[in-house]
Each structure stands twice: as C-alpha cells, then as structure tokens.
Amino acid sequence: MSVDVIAPAAAGVFPDSPADSLTEAQRRAACWGAVGPDGRFRSPPLLVVAGAGTGKTATIAHRVAHLVLAGVDPQRILLLTFSRRAATEMTRRAGRLVARALSARAGRPLPAAAAAVRLPWAGTFHSVGARLLREHAPAIGLDPSFGILDRGDAADLIDAIRHELGFSATKKRFPRKEACLAIHSLQANTAWPLDRVLQGWPWCADWRAELEALFAHYAARKRANAVLDYDDLLLEWERAMGVHEVSARLRARFDQVLVDEFQDTNALQARILRALKPDGQGLTVVGDDAQSIYAFRGADVGNILDFPASFEPPAERVTLEENFRSVQPVLDLANALLSEAARKFPKTLSAARGGGARPQLVTVADERAQADWVIDAVLRHREEGVPLKRQAVLFRSAHHSDLLEVELVRRNVPYVKHGGLRFLDAAHVKDLLAVLRWAEHPRNLLAGFRVLQLLPGFGPANAQRCLERVKEAGIADALRGFEPPAAAREAWSGFVELMAALADSAARWPSEQFDPLLAWYRPLLERRHDDATVRANDLEQLAVIATRFGSRERFLTELALDPPQAAGDLAGEPLRDEDWLNLSTVHSAKGQEWDAVCVLNVTDGNFPNEYATGDAAAIEEERRLLYVAVTRARDALYLLEPKAFYVTGQQRWGDRHVWGARSRFLTEPVLAQLDWVAPAAGNALP
C-alpha cells in the first residue's frame, strides 16, 4: 500500500481502528503509542506477554494494521518472526484489517490493490539478515554475492575438514559432523566460551583443542569460498551494527520493529535488536516466558524476563491472559504448574469458553498398559465425534512412542508422527539446488563438488581438478577448456551448455533457467533412482516454488533459511486413510492445538528428562515444557504415569523392570487440579 492513501489519525484516537474487535488487553497492546503534534507515530518500548492461546498472532496483526492506519510507512516496519509462514500470515491478516478500516473511512469498498498492505521487511531473523548484509556487504568487507550454506551443507563441510585434519582416524571417538556443528552453532549464538558449551557434551571435553582447530579451519574455508552459514548471518549482522556508517543507516531505516516469539531469541539476536533500537523507541516484542523451551538451540529466557528493565524508564508490559483455546479446568492445571516456576511474569489464564472436564492423571502398570489405555481413549473420543486428526499424543522424547506405534499398527489406527525428513534433505532436490547454487556463486566449491560428481567418471579427484580451473577462470570458460574423464565426454557438452546458460545474467528467472535445468537432470534422475517418477514430482513442486521469487538469489536464500517440510516419496507409502492420529514431541507441538491430548510418561526421569536433574535452569525449562504440553489441549487432557519400565541387559537374578517415580512437577497444588484414574482391575503391577 502506498502511504499517501493513509491519512494519519489525530491525537492517537482511531475511531475506525480494526482494534475495536480485540479484548481490552489486546487493544492496549495493538494501539500502544500515539501520533505526535508533528503527525508522526511514536511508541516507547513495549513487551506483550502473550499467554498460551491468548491470540498472539491476532494481536500482532492488529498492531501492524494500527501502525499503518496511523501513518507509518509499511516499508519502515520491520517484522521479525521465526518462520516465513508466520510473517506471511500476520501480513495477510493486517492487510485484511486495513482494507476493512479504509473501506469504512471511504464509505465504500475499495479495490483490493488499493488497500493491500505489503511489508517488504517481514521475515525471519536470518532471511532479513541476509538481505541487509547483501546491501551493506562492501562496507563490512563481505562479497555481496556470498553463498549460504544450509545445515546439511555446513555439516558436510565440517566433515570434510574433520577428515583432512585427521580427526576421523583417531583411536578414540571424535565427535561426528552433526555434533561438531551443534557445538559450533551453540557457541556462536550464545558467545559462551567453548569450555562452557562443552558442558552439554561432556564426552567431547577431551577434544577441546582439536575442536578449536576444526572451527578455525571451518571459518577460514568459508571465507575462502565466500559462503556464510546460518549463524554467520547473525554474527555478521551484529558486526555490521558495529560499523557506524551501517548502523546509522539501519537505525534510520526502520521506525517500528516488531518481534514475534521473543522468548525464543538467543543472546546474539537480543544484541542485534538492542543495536537497532538502543533506546527502545518503536520496539515491540511479543512472547511468553512460560513457553521458552529451546535452550538447546541457544534460546535465553532471560531475554524476555529482563526486557522491561533494559530501558530507562522500563518498557511497558501488557499481559494477555484471556485464553480462547482451552476449557478452564485445563487452564487451572496450567496455572498451578506455572505458579511454582522460580522466575516468571505472573499471569493467570482464564478461559473465554468457560468450564469443561477436569484433566486426568492416569496411573498404569507399564508402557504396554499405557499404550492400550491411550488407544482405548483415542477410539472412545472418535466414537464421540472427535476425529483422530483433532487428537494428539505428546511425549518428551521421540523414543517414548515406540511401543505405542507398534500397538497402533496392530490395532489398525492410522497415525502421523511429526518430524522426519525435510523436503530439502532429499538427494534429488539437493542435486538440483546444488547446480543453481554453483551457478549463482562459483566460489561455492561445496556445491560444485556435488554437481560435478553427478556426471559419469567424476570422482573426488576429477571434481577437485575441475574446481581448481574454475577458481582461475570462472565456470563457463573453465568448463569449456577442461578435459573431462572419458566416461563423461558424451555428456560434457550438454553440461557445459547448461552451466553457460545459467551463468548468463540475461536469462529470465525461472523460465529460462529452471526449465533447461530440469531437462538436463531428468535423464540423471532416471539412472540414479528407481522411483524416478515419484521424485520427478518433487522437482516439479520445486519449479512451482521458484515462481514465487523474483530472482534466483532470493529463491536460494529463502529455501536455505526456511525450507519446506514435506518430503513426498521418502516418507513411506502415501497415507490413504480418511483420518489419522497425531503423534508429536512436545517441542514439535508448540503452536498447535487439539481437542483431546494424551501426554506419555509423566514420571521423573522422563518428565523432567533425566539429563536435566541437578541443573536448576534445566529443570525450570522442563517445567515450561510440560506447561506447553498441557496448554495444547482444548477439551480433554490426560497425563499418563506408568509405574514400571521394563529394561534389558539385566542379570538373571535381577528385576526385569525399574519403578517409575512420580514427576516432581506433580506437587500437591498441581495434583489438586487433576482427577486420578487408578490401574484397571486385571492390570496389576508386576
């Protein structure tokens, strides 16, 4: 929307504001700030503590709409989220609200184009960081055409360096590439010393010096290849904020900065925000300290808890407590859990929907009895009119559902387990993207190394020999002058022609780039994969996705930073049932809701996880994790506590099981909010 069609409202009063449909607390958050005598909208720092199910997304969308109606240029609004889908949804809702308000002002419906809200700076921290870095790269010594390594590519590069340094041939176990990348990423996002990071990987502590050497070589290799990984996008953004010329431009560029899921930010993201808005003017953050559950990724609950005191005067705090999801007995349990947290923002969730059934604590003999009880409950709800899709079974760790999955198959109950192979992890998709990445950024040798080995006769040695030529002459010229191995000669001219076409800056995106690429790759697909027809559908889907982006660079960047999650052929046989039950870890369930929810293994050592014991901060996060599980339920909630867990590897004279202890989170005040269901007759403990 062009800003000239918006007339700023006077004195901060908006009689036709879309915020009229909100609760009092939501309206206060959405309308925070005022238009000054000069006609400009200003707002001191604001923290919105949005309890579970209290309409966080709607509140942010209303705030964006309110800012636009107050005369704030949409191009000067920065909306930071943790997924592109969240940014798109908030922008869509805001546009609808603005259209409604403008039509009311005009007294007639306005054309959709005239009322559309476009937020060019809405996206994830990493995608926004990538765009800003490309704009300001020369000022901070970066190549503006830098490539971006996704997590898989970053792990592969670490693995290659790990092998080059001889760490893969040690007589003692050296961390695998995934562990090395996780350690490196946590250190980058927290700025902790390596010794502290390794406390989470105690078995790696003896390799401290080797890991430091590995990370130094990894950083050097990235610089040499002019590529950045995910963490570099934030590190370089923070470094750019330390360059006066750049920081001055960025601070002046955005009048309003809104941050969703602020409880999930790490120390690095918090420092970037503080550098963007040192005095907090125009900064609004939204989140729930009670749902901070990603410390293993570097998230710091202190960011949200300490936010108000970070400014002088302290930031305004608005708490959303009216819950539109769950019945009151479920919220009473959630409130009791939260009341025992060591440090928190006080809140008491109240149900807009009123009363309902009390949650149940179900004691069962063992995990087999737990599986039987859960399936019986699921089928009972189904007969009562609750589809399987509206039910979920949640668990702390993925393996907790193993026995349940066996029983679901035996009893013919279809299910989907959330998590699994991502779309971009499929080999054929990675092949196609590697070609585009190499064409976009010839110094991305990791992509080139993969592409060349798609050709017959190209092993690592020939691929490396070709890449050395590319370093000197560029892709098109180097490939034309390169003598390929005998097995590749027949296919070589077609490959060179493809890469030359992709290197042509005049080639239109995506029609003149993606179509030739698909035509070149299809014969390879048929030779390399038995299920080529199924995989070809994935590539067609990728081609459709490509049409949504205005350039190859934006397409590659956004896919690396916020990839699709479906993987078509590699997820097994297509689900051909009318309905299915949801199985999910609690971490994957965040942001979701179901009518009926069962939570497995609510016993000490499982919930909280045994690795959290002895660490007060970890125990508090486990409490928040149970809170997240509880607040996913709309109507019915069951916490399962098996009393015995069977173990293997015992001595012949040892017990075949260990006894489960009641979860330390089920204190007397918490138990008072639960109805207890004892083991059924005939299901006695061993």
Side-chain angles (χ1 to χ4, degrees):
M1 180 185 69
S2 60
V3 74
D4 57 1
V5 302
I6 297 292
V13 178
F14 307 100
D16 53 359
S17 170
D20 292 342
S21 62
L22 301 179
T23 66
E24 181 180 349
Q26 288 174 327
R27 186 181 305 112
R28 186 176 166 212
C31 300
W32 175 250
V35 174
D38 59 356
R40 293 189 61 189
F41 186 89
R42 292 180 175 83
S43 60
L46 171 67
L47 166 64
V48 182
V49 180
T54 56
K56 168 180 67 70
T57 300
T59 302
I60 296 175
H62 278 79
R63 176 148 185 82
V64 171
H66 192 73
L67 292 174
V68 174
L69 291 167
V72 178
D73 185 347
Q75 298 191 57
R76 299 181 63 80
I77 297 175
L78 174 60
L79 173 60
L80 293 169
T81 66
F82 278 82
S83 75
R84 186 175 65 247
R85 289 167 292 283
T88 301
E89 173 64 14
M90 291 173 192
T91 302
R92 184 185 63 79
R93 289 197 194 187
R96 202 165 56 222
L97 294 167
V98 169
R100 191 180 73 199
L102 289 179
S103 296
R105 285 186 186 180
R108 58 183 174 80
L110 293 177
V117 172
R118 297 179 181 86
L119 298 179
W121 290 100
T124 66
F125 273 91
H126 294 87
S127 64
V128 168
R131 290 176 61 194
L132 293 174
L133 288 175
R134 291 200 193 280
E135 285 189 12
H136 300 281
I140 58 174
L142 278 180
D143 182 345
S145 64
F146 61 80
I148 298 176
L149 301 177
D150 64 20
R151 291 292 187 193
D153 287 341
D156 288 344
L157 181 56
I158 280 182
D159 202 33
I161 299 170
R162 176 178 173 273
H163 181 70
E164 291 169 11
L165 295 176
F167 298 155
S168 60
T170 56
K171 293 184 178 180
K172 292 175 63 179
R173 178 177 56 141
F174 190 80
R176 298 294 299 270
K177 62 181 181 180
E178 295 84 3
C180 292
L181 181 61
I183 292 168
H184 180 271
S185 181
L186 186 60
Q187 185 179 23
N189 286 293
T190 60
W192 292 345
L194 185 55
D195 286 338
R196 180 177 176 184
V197 173
L198 290 177
Q199 290 176 9
W201 287 268
W203 64 273
C204 300
D206 291 342
W207 296 107
R208 183 184 182 281
E210 289 80 1
L211 286 169
E212 284 188 333
L214 174 63
F215 298 157
H217 280 79
Y218 175 58
R221 188 70 58 86
K222 287 185 293 182
R223 285 194 300 271
N225 293 346
V227 294
L228 304 179
D229 64 17
Y230 284 7
D231 304 318
D232 292 329
L233 294 171
L234 299 183
L235 289 166
E236 293 294 339
W237 187 359
E238 183 190 29
R239 186 167 71 87
M241 296 305 297
V243 177
H244 177 73
E245 172 192 353
V246 178
S247 62
R249 288 181 192 169
L250 294 183
R251 287 171 186 154
R253 181 172 204 156
F254 300 114
D255 294 332
Q256 295 286 326
V257 177
L258 294 86
V259 186
D260 184 26
E261 302 286 8
F262 188 63
Q263 79 280 350
D264 294 336
T265 56
N266 57 44
L268 183 53
Q269 290 162 324
R271 292 197 300 271
I272 289 170
L273 289 172
R274 190 61 190 267
L276 272 174
K277 293 290 181 183
D279 59 0
Q281 292 298 312
L283 178 59
T284 299
V285 300
V286 184
D288 183 8
D289 55 296
Q291 297 186 70
S292 179
I293 58 173
Y294 294 114
F296 65 94
R297 296 180 185 168
D300 185 354
V301 69
N303 288 346
I304 189 169
L305 291 172
D306 298 333
F307 181 83
S310 300
F311 304 98
E312 184 55 45
E316 182 73 7
R317 188 175 86 222
V318 175
T319 303
L320 308 183
E321 298 176 293
E322 186 173 0
N323 178 286
F324 302 97
R325 174 187 300 156
S326 306
V327 294
Q328 190 59 50
V330 170
L331 298 182
D332 290 340
L333 174 61
N335 291 332
L337 270 173
L338 188 58
S339 69
E340 300 188 351
R343 190 181 177 210
K344 60 185 180 296
F345 287 125
K347 70 175 78 69
T348 302
L349 298 178
S350 61
R353 300 174 55 209
R358 279 168 57 90
Q360 294 184 355
L361 173 64
V362 182
T363 302
V364 292
D366 52 25
E367 289 180 286
R368 181 172 296 280
Q370 175 178 249
D372 287 338
W373 195 97
V374 166
I375 296 173
D376 289 345
V378 165
L379 294 177
R380 182 176 70 253
H381 280 296
R382 177 176 176 271
E383 290 304 312
E384 293 170 354
V386 182
L388 295 179
K389 290 180 185 177
R390 297 299 310 153
Q391 301 186 57
V393 181
L394 307 183
F395 29 87
R396 172 61 182 83
S397 302
H399 68 272
H400 287 176
S401 67
D402 289 351
L403 198 148
L404 173 63
E405 292 179 56
V406 172
E407 289 301 304
L408 287 169
V409 171
R410 189 179 67 82
R411 293 175 64 171
N412 195 29
V413 179
Y415 69 90
V416 170
K417 189 171 183 178
H418 293 278
L421 190 67
R422 296 185 310 168
F423 178 70
L424 297 189
D425 287 334
H428 53 298
V429 176
K430 289 179 74 71
D431 288 344
L432 222 65
L433 292 178
V435 177
L436 293 172
R437 283 175 179 149
W438 195 30
E440 178 70 20
H441 188 59
R443 292 171 64 188
N444 189 340
L445 303 186
L446 196 65
F449 197 68
R450 182 186 187 102
V451 171
L452 288 168
Q453 291 185 86
L454 294 174
L455 299 168
F458 266 90
N462 279 320
Q464 191 61 45
R465 184 166 60 90
C466 184
L467 290 174
E468 293 298 328
R469 293 287 297 272
V470 171
K471 286 182 186 178
E472 301 169 1
I475 288 183
D477 292 339
L479 295 182
R480 287 191 185 100
F482 182 75
E483 182 64 29
R489 284 174 189 159
E490 183 179 345
W492 189 248
S493 61
F495 175 64
V496 173
E497 183 181 337
L498 170 71
M499 296 308 298
L502 293 177
D504 183 359
S505 59
R508 286 191 304 242
W509 172 262
S511 60
E512 295 181 358
Q513 300 183 49
F514 224 101
D515 291 348
L517 175 56
L518 286 175
W520 173 80
Y521 185 73
R522 281 193 186 99
L524 288 176
L525 184 68
E526 292 170 1
R527 287 199 300 268
R528 294 166 65 87
H529 300 287
D530 294 334
D531 53 350
T533 302
V534 176
R535 291 176 184 262
N537 293 333
D538 284 343
L539 301 184
E540 294 295 338
Q541 181 182 352
L542 197 64
V544 172
I545 293 173
T547 63
R548 303 174 190 169
F549 298 89
S551 70
R552 184 171 67 192
E553 179 274 317
R554 286 299 303 276
F555 169 72
L556 293 172
T557 295
E558 292 298 327
L559 248 67
L561 299 179
D562 193 12
Q565 297 297 313
D569 60 319
L570 298 184
E573 284 297 312
L575 189 64
R576 296 194 180 103
D577 210 294
E578 60 179 347
D579 202 4
W580 57 84
L581 177 67
N582 297 280
L583 307 186
S584 177
T585 63
V586 181
H587 285 100
S588 296
K590 188 168 176 286
Q592 304 295 315
E593 62 180 58
W594 295 276
D595 292 345
V597 172
C598 296
V599 186
L600 302 184
N601 292 355
V602 185
T603 59
D604 238 46
N606 292 311
F607 232 134
N609 185 278
E610 60 182 321
Y611 297 113
T613 56
D615 184 335
I619 289 294
E620 287 302 304
E621 177 152 323
E622 292 288 308
R623 187 193 313 277
R624 296 192 293 269
L625 196 62
L626 184 56
Y627 172 88
V628 168
V630 165
T631 52
R632 299 312 94 196
R634 286 175 48 81
D635 300 309
L637 174 65
Y638 308 98
L639 307 185
L640 282 294
E641 57 166 10
K643 300 311 295 179
F645 294 86
Y646 289 93
V647 294
T648 59
Q650 292 287 81
Q651 297 288 344
R652 284 182 301 170
W653 51 86
D655 290 335
R656 294 182 296 115
H657 63 270
V658 294
W659 295 104
R662 174 155 286 175
S663 171
R664 68 191 68 191
F665 300 142
L666 300 183
T667 61
E668 288 301 322
V670 173
L671 289 171
Q673 308 303 326
L674 290 159
D675 286 341
W676 182 49
V677 177
N683 192 16
L685 299 176

